[in-house]
């Protein structure tokens, strides 16, 4: 006798549903004036890592200066970390009102590392705030809500340690605009990894978002991955350190920025996978600390080095990552605050 079973539609776990309901906010929930009253002596820094961003960095810094230091005294420090720019990024940021430090200046006594994560670590080391907000330097049509929204939960709820931003990310193509087409690495790389191995974090809308804020006391207790794995590592490490309930997310609206090509996104995805592997090793889920290889082979059509029969050039990249140790673990700080 055959039995028919009704197919049940999968749903999010009760933990994830409860977290998203309780810990998700909107930037419009707080005004800058309300947050100034909630500061109660808390010092706030905004750190912006920037490499060759002279076209956008001035407007970002200028908006924060005008809206969040001039009109209301919400932000105490705007710090731009010049990540080996070859253009006028540093000069433009300084003219707009930011304090500027060089990535290599901050880490000069330490081994050289590459990538965004190292610039973020340098920004944390050189900044002075009790609460530190990180904002990418390539944003267009920047709004002060990108900062005030991140600060909202941290300044009004002492149980929140870290806030992740999320937003709509339009992808502009010649054929039209995809409203949420900008999160390709998230959907194809990071989200599957998180759902499979860290399901508690599956309610995070944009785990790779470049806008987030945290309390210094927590941020100084986690390592910073040197490359594009920094955001997923930060989420996983903070989950282990402070627990899911101390994490929050805020809708920041819409985000416009420069999009990278598929080949670059592939390398980013690989770095995220290497980073995830290291965290799986720490949990005892994989035996080796590193995957079998960190070399990634890609094929580029045409080019001077194309191979016979392929009509493509083989491009090999090392997608391995390094980590700066938690700042709190260092006996001597790598940077003297106030040196410009």
């Amino acid at each position: 006798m055959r039995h028919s079973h009704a197919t049940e539609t999968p749903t999010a776990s009760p933990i994830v549903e409860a977290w998203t309901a309780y810990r998700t906010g909107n930037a419009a929930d707080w005004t800058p004036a309300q947050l100034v009253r909630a500061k109660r002596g808390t010092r706030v820094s905004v750190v912006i890592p920037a490499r060759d961003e002279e076209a956008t960095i001035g407007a970002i810094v200028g908006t924060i200066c005008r809206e969040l230091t001039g009109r209301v005294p919400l932000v105490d420090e705007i710090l731009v970390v010049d990540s080996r720019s070859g253009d006028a990024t540093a000069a433009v940021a300084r003219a707009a009102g930011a304090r500027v430090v060089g990535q290599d200046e901050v880490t000069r006594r330490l081994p050289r590392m590459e990538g965004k994560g190292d610039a973020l670590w340098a920004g944390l080391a050189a900044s002075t705030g009790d609460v530190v907000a990180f904002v990418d330097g390539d944003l267009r049509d920047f709004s002060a809500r990108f900062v005030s929204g991140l600060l909202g939960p941290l300044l009004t709820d002492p149980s929140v340690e870290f806030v992740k931003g999320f937003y709509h990310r339009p992808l502009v193509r010649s054929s039209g605009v995809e409203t949420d087409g900008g999160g390709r690495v998230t959907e194809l790389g990071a989200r599957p990894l998180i759902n499979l191995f860290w399901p508690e974090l599956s309610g995070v809308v944009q785990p790779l978002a470049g806008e987030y804020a945290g309390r210094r006391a927590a941020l100084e207790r986690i390592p910073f991955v040197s490359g594009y794995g920094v955001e997923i590592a930060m989420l996983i490490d903070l989950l282990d350190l402070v627990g899911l309930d101390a994490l929050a997310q805020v809708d920041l609206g819409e985000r416009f920025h420069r999009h990278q090509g598929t080949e670059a996104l592939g390398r980013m995805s690989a770095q995220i996978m290497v980073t995830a592997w290291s965290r799986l090793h720490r949990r005892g889920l994989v035996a080796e600390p590193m995957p079998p290889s960190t070399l990634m082979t890609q094929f580029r059509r045409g080019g001077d080095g194309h191979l016979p029969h392929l009509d493509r050039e083989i491009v090999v990249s090392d997608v391995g990552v390094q980590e700066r140790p938690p700042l709190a673990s260092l006996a001597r700080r790598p940077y003297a605050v106030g040196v410009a």
Side-chain angles (χ1 to χ4, degrees), residues 300 302-308 312-314:
R300 187 177 298 161
D304 295 335
H306 71 274
L307 298 177
R312 288 166 177 82
E313 178 185 3
I314 290 181

Side-chain angles (χ1 to χ4, degrees), residues 68-81:
L68 302 180
T69 66
R71 292 184 181 175
V72 294
L74 179 60
V75 171
D76 300 287
E77 176 183 48
I78 305 169
L79 180 71
V80 170
V81 181

Side-chain angles (χ1 to χ4, degrees), residues 271-291:
Q271 281 200 323
I272 288 164
M273 292 176 186
V274 171
T275 304
W277 180 288
S278 69
R279 269 63 191 167
L280 290 172
H281 173 70
R282 291 178 189 178
R283 287 196 170 188
L285 296 178
V286 294
E288 300 297 327
M290 293 294 291

Side-chain angles (χ1 to χ4, degrees), residues 174-191:
S174 57
S175 57
V177 178
E178 287 184 54
T179 305
D180 285 305
R184 291 167 287 173
V185 175
T186 293
E187 298 305 324
L188 299 175
R191 198 178 309 285

Side-chain angles (χ1 to χ4, degrees), residues 161-211:
E161 296 284 340
F162 182 78
V163 178
K164 192 80 175 177
F166 68 95
Y167 24 64
H168 294 294
R169 295 178 62 191
L171 177 61
V172 180
R173 299 181 184 271
S174 57
S175 57
V177 178
E178 287 184 54
T179 305
D180 285 305
R184 291 167 287 173
V185 175
T186 293
E187 298 305 324
L188 299 175
R191 198 178 309 285
L193 284 169
I194 284 172
N195 277 266
L196 290 171
F197 301 111
W198 294 276
E200 310 99 305
L201 293 172
S202 60
V204 178
V205 177
Q206 281 171 330
L208 303 185
E211 283 65 51

Side-chain angles (χ1 to χ4, degrees), residues 24 38 42 62 100 155 220 224 232 250 253 264 275 281-282 290 313 333:
T24 301
T42 301
V100 178
L155 295 179
E220 288 195 349
F224 277 55
I232 194 169
V250 171
T275 304
H281 173 70
R282 291 178 189 178
M290 293 294 291
E313 178 185 3
R333 292 306 172 100

Side-chain angles (χ1 to χ4, degrees), residues 45-51 53 56-65 75 77-83 85 89 93 96-101 103 116 119-120 122-124 127 132-139 142 147 210-212:
S45 296
V46 176
V47 171
I48 309 170
R51 182 173 188 172
E53 304 294 0
T56 52
I57 194 67
I60 295 171
V61 172
T63 299
I64 299 171
C65 279
V75 171
E77 176 183 48
I78 305 169
L79 180 71
V80 170
V81 181
D82 183 19
S83 184
S85 296
T89 292
R99 182 164 72 95
V100 178
V101 297
Q103 177 179 337
K116 177 185 178 183
L120 293 169
L124 181 64
S127 62
V132 182
F134 297 94
V135 176
D136 277 348
D138 65 343
L139 302 186
F142 180 80
V147 174
E211 283 65 51
Y212 37 85

